[in-house]
């Protein structure tokens, strides 16, 4: 009955703690029903029934172990921790994330939360546990005092006591490391929220300025009639059209960029001056009756994704004649939006070269893309922006990127494209051949901050491990509350980094946030251990750790290699630093009683 009573207490306490934690989470998240803590508690009670059964089976077995009360508590905690690992892993699988990072974060968060609930439950029930576990231990202690000598008494009583204390502290430290990962989830959400806010500002400013531009053309729309005669010799007419693409197209553009401030956010805008020139040379298909071609209804067209970006009237020179284009297209099969104008053609233009030239001044935001609709085409873009990203399935054949800007050239010919210059039925995916450039803001503080958060377990784990090792070496205990304060200091580093990077460059904000965190923890270590040497060790280790992480954030291709080598070195140093730790305390117990060691 005592076992059943104790198991039920631990089980109920852990479930109630889980429900309370769920309530706190609901209050921290907007638009999340706080009353859901009640079904969450009920679900946790039902779902944790295997843990209750496991406790009822394991408690009597642990009670009979020849160990101290604290040692038995460690065994109980390990049993619960085993189930926490299982439930945390199941949680990550149930959510079904395809991204491994999301699965890892979900599993780590669930395990940390369950371990925290378990720890709270065991602490709440510490007194009943002591009474339950002491029963057998008192009988064992009396028997040992009568049957063993002083050496055996020290070996049974003192050595396990010290080793169990170290084990308990190690388990608590490990649990705190996992628990400290929970706030990093909230910080990741904060980074995402700020990033989404920046995207909203960019969209808002772009809507008032001009959206990213996609340019298509120019091309000729040439309608013709099709006459059908049925079996009753009734004549019906149908209208179809040809799309005639340039035989040669040359586009030469100069792009100038502007950074506009909106609140604390920067929006990248651009203006582009494009010179288009080339020629049309076409022969209408033989299967089309030349007399049914409606030459007088021909139109010259140009596709443009956002009319707000047109800064000057658009005029195209066709064989020496200026033609002004107006919004509207006769057909949307190539472009949904664009401009067009009537083009005076006649049958004599068939198989004749028609030259054209057009100057276009447009504005847009971040992206400038083209669709290469021509037999032979060449696109050249120049800009003073030093951080371009070349998009699409076609990269520049020639490009130069330096601190003064970029110069890129794309070339296409009739063999590169899946269509000719005369199209009767256009059914091609233009997105598959579109290309262009995105002017990227190089200091994407949100992306780098998000990357740095992924190394939070490295910061927290190594810092806690360092405190734990020095605590053992100097035999001066660090309270779990102090570990929590140190963990919060490490986590606040990310909020400092995020907030400061919105006003200055990421590199400078990283230096400021890291320096503040290192100084805070270093002075805190000095205040606890009262040793300048120990505090300087903390400062040096944290400086190396933050510097190492900063290098990883800056790298792209070699980040995994450098990170793996760095972690191996860190592990080797940790193993070297812990080589002199007396984990079991045999030598300490023997020396205390002036007993000889066995050779």
């Amino acid at each position: 009955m005592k076992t059943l009573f104790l198991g039920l207490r631990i089980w109920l306490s852990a479930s109630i703690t889980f429900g309370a934690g769920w309530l706190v989470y609901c209050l921290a998240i907007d638009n999340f029903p706080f009353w859901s803590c009640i079904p969450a508690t009920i679900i946790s009670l039902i779902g944790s029934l295997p843990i209750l059964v496991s406790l009822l089976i394991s408690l009597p077995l642990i009670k009979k172990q020849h160990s101290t009360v604290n040692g038995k508590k460690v065994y109980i905690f390990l049993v619960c921790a085993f189930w926490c690992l299982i439930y945390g892993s199941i949680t990550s699988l149930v959510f079904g994330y395809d991204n491994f990072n999301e699965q890892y974060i979900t599993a780590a968060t669930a395990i940390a939360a369950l371990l925290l609930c378990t720890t709270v439950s065991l602490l709440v029930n510490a007194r009943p546990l002591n009474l339950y576990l002491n029963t057998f231990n008192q009988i064992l202690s009396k028997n040992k005092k009568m049957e063993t000598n002083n050496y055996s008494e020290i070996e049974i009583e003192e050595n396990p006591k010290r080793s169990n204390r170290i084990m308990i502290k190690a388990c608590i430290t490990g649990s705190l490391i996992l628990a400290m990962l929970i706030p990093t989830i909230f910080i990741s959400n904060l980074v995402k929220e700020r990033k989404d806010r920046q995207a909203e500002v960019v969209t808002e400013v772009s809507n008032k300025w001009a959206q990213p531009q996609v340019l298509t053309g120019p091309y000729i729309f040439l309608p013709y009639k099709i006459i059908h005669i049925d079996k009753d010799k009734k004549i019906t007419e149908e209208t179809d059209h040809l799309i005639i693409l340039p035989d040669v197209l040359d586009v030469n553009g100069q792009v100038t960029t502007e950074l506009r401030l909106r609140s604390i956010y920067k929006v990248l805008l651009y203006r582009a001056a494009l010179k288009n020139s080339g020629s049309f040379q076409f022969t209408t298909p033989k299967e089309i009756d030349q007399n049914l071609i409606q030459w007088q209804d021909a139109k010259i067209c140009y596709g443009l994704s956002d009319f707000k970006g047109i800064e000057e009237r658009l005029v195209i020179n066709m064989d020496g004649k200026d033609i002004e284009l107006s919004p509207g297209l006769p057909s949307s099969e190539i472009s949904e939006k664009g401009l067009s104008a009537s083009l005076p053609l006649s049958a004599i233009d068939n198989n004749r070269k028609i030259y054209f030239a057009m100057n276009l001044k447009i504005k847009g935001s971040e992206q400038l893309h083209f669709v290469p609709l021509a037999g032979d085409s060449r696109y050249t873009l120049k800009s003073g922006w030093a951080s371009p990203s070349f998009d699409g399935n076609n990269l520049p054949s020639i490009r130069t990127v330096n601190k003064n800007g970029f110069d890129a050239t794309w070339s296409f010919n009739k063999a590169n494209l899946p269509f000719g210059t005369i199209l009767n039925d256009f059914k091609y995916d233009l997105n598959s051949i579109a290309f262009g450039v995105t002017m990227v803001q190089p200091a994407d503080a949100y992306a780098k901050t998000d990357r740095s958060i992924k190394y939070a377990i490295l910061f927290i784990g190594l810092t806690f491990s360092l405190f734990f090792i020095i605590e053992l070496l100097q035999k001066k205990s660090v309270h779990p509350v102090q570990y929590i304060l140190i963990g919060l200091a490490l986590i606040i580093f990310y909020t400092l980094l995020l907030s400061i990077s919105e006003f200055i460059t990421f590199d400078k904000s990283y230096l400021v946030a890291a320096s503040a965190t290192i100084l805070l923890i270093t002075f805190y270590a000095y205040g606890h251990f009262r040793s300048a040497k120990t505090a300087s060790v903390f400062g040096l280790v944290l400086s190396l750790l933050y510097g190492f992480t900063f290098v990883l954030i800056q790298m792209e291709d070699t980040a995994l290699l450098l990170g793996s080598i760095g972690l191996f070195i860190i592990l080797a140093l940790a193993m070297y630093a812990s080589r002199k730790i007396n984990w079991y305390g045999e030598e300490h117990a023997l020396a205390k009683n002036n007993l000889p060691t066995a050779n």
Side-chain angles (χ1 to χ4, degrees), residues 346-366:
S346 62
I348 61 175
D349 294 315
N350 201 10
N351 204 27
R352 185 177 73 86
K353 185 172 288 190
I354 303 173
Y355 293 94
F356 67 88
M358 180 179 64
N359 292 329
L360 174 63
K361 290 187 176 182
I362 60 169
K363 59 184 181 181
S365 56
E366 294 187 338

Side-chain angles (χ1 to χ4, degrees), residues 322-360:
D322 289 340
I323 302 174
E324 183 174 354
L325 302 181
S326 301
L329 292 173
S331 173
S332 61
E333 57 189 324
I334 290 183
S335 181
E336 294 290 336
K337 298 179 181 180
L339 303 96
S340 63
S342 296
L343 179 65
L345 291 180
S346 62
I348 61 175
D349 294 315
N350 201 10
N351 204 27
R352 185 177 73 86
K353 185 172 288 190
I354 303 173
Y355 293 94
F356 67 88
M358 180 179 64
N359 292 329
L360 174 63

Side-chain angles (χ1 to χ4, degrees), residues 110 157 183 260 269 346 353 448:
E157 296 296 335
R260 296 287 181 90
L269 308 173
S346 62
K353 185 172 288 190
K448 290 183 177 180

Side-chain angles (χ1 to χ4, degrees), residues 274-310:
L274 304 172
K275 295 181 179 180
N276 297 262
S277 61
S279 62
F280 291 93
Q281 186 171 11
F282 59 91
T283 301
T284 54
K286 295 181 180 180
E287 60 270 18
I288 298 177
D289 189 346
Q290 303 299 307
N291 296 321
L292 298 178
I293 296 177
Q294 299 174 302
W295 297 97
Q296 71 281 2
D297 295 329
K299 292 182 178 296
I300 182 72
C301 306
Y302 192 85
L304 184 74
S305 58
D306 193 349
F307 292 130
K308 290 195 300 292
I310 302 174

Side-chain angles (χ1 to χ4, degrees), residues 219-512:
Y219 58 91
I220 295 175
F221 176 86
L222 183 61
Y224 64 91
K225 291 182 178 180
I226 302 175
I227 297 178
H228 299 282
I229 303 176
D230 59 15
K231 61 182 180 179
D232 297 329
K233 295 184 179 181
K234 184 179 180 180
I235 299 174
T236 58
E237 291 185 357
E238 181 184 348
T239 301
D240 204 346
H241 63 272
L242 295 173
I243 299 294
I244 302 174
L245 306 180
D247 192 56
V248 177
L249 175 62
D250 184 78
V251 178
N252 199 315
Q254 181 71 39
V255 181
T256 57
T257 57
E258 299 180 22
L259 277 176
R260 296 287 181 90
L261 290 176
R262 181 67 179 270
S263 183
I264 61 173
Y265 302 103
K266 296 179 180 179
V267 182
L268 182 60
L269 308 173
Y270 69 81
R271 283 187 168 91
L274 304 172
K275 295 181 179 180
N276 297 262
S277 61
S279 62
F280 291 93
Q281 186 171 11
F282 59 91
T283 301
T284 54
K286 295 181 180 180
E287 60 270 18
I288 298 177
D289 189 346
Q290 303 299 307
N291 296 321
L292 298 178
I293 296 177
Q294 299 174 302
W295 297 97
Q296 71 281 2
D297 295 329
K299 292 182 178 296
I300 182 72
C301 306
Y302 192 85
L304 184 74
S305 58
D306 193 349
F307 292 130
K308 290 195 300 292
I310 302 174
E311 295 199 296
E312 294 182 357
R313 67 191 188 100
L314 189 56
V315 176
I316 185 169
N317 185 283
M318 301 288 295
D319 269 352
K321 296 181 180 179
D322 289 340
I323 302 174
E324 183 174 354
L325 302 181
S326 301
L329 292 173
S331 173
S332 61
E333 57 189 324
I334 290 183
S335 181
E336 294 290 336
K337 298 179 181 180
L339 303 96
S340 63
S342 296
L343 179 65
L345 291 180
S346 62
I348 61 175
D349 294 315
N350 201 10
N351 204 27
R352 185 177 73 86
K353 185 172 288 190
I354 303 173
Y355 293 94
F356 67 88
M358 180 179 64
N359 292 329
L360 174 63
K361 290 187 176 182
I362 60 169
K363 59 184 181 181
S365 56
E366 294 187 338
Q367 291 182 345
L368 178 59
H369 287 179
F370 299 90
V371 179
L373 296 182
D376 298 306
S377 58
R378 180 184 176 89
Y379 296 81
T380 301
L381 287 180
K382 296 181 180 180
S383 175
W385 189 255
S387 300
S389 174
F390 300 109
D391 307 325
N393 293 326
N394 299 283
L395 295 177
S397 54
I398 303 172
R399 69 173 186 175
T400 302
V401 180
N402 53 43
K403 63 180 181 179
N404 297 321
F406 70 88
D407 187 344
T409 300
W410 294 261
S411 297
F412 303 89
N413 55 60
K414 295 176 182 177
N416 296 139
L417 302 174
F419 45 78
T421 56
I422 300 178
L423 306 173
N424 191 14
D425 189 12
F426 194 90
K427 294 182 178 179
Y428 302 98
D429 182 14
L430 296 182
N431 292 326
S432 63
I433 60 173
F435 68 94
V437 63
T438 299
M439 273 68 76
V440 179
Q441 296 192 50
D444 190 353
Y446 297 117
K448 290 183 177 180
T449 302
D450 189 55
R451 287 187 63 188
S452 66
I453 293 174
K454 290 180 173 60
Y455 298 101
I457 181 123
L458 179 65
F459 281 92
I460 298 171
L462 290 177
T463 305
F464 280 22
S465 300
L466 181 61
F467 266 93
F468 183 66
I469 291 173
I470 293 180
E471 172 186 349
L472 295 178
L473 290 174
Q474 296 197 0
K475 298 180 177 62
K476 188 169 184 179
S477 298
V478 179
H479 197 274
V481 174
Q482 293 177 291
Y483 277 102
I484 293 175
L485 292 175
I486 295 165
L488 292 176
L490 294 171
I491 291 169
I492 290 175
F493 159 77
Y494 298 106
T495 60
L496 285 174
L497 178 62
L498 174 63
S499 57
I500 298 174
S501 63
E502 291 182 332
F503 295 93
I504 61 177
T505 62
F506 178 83
D507 295 351
K508 293 180 180 179
S509 60
Y510 190 95
L511 176 62
V512 173

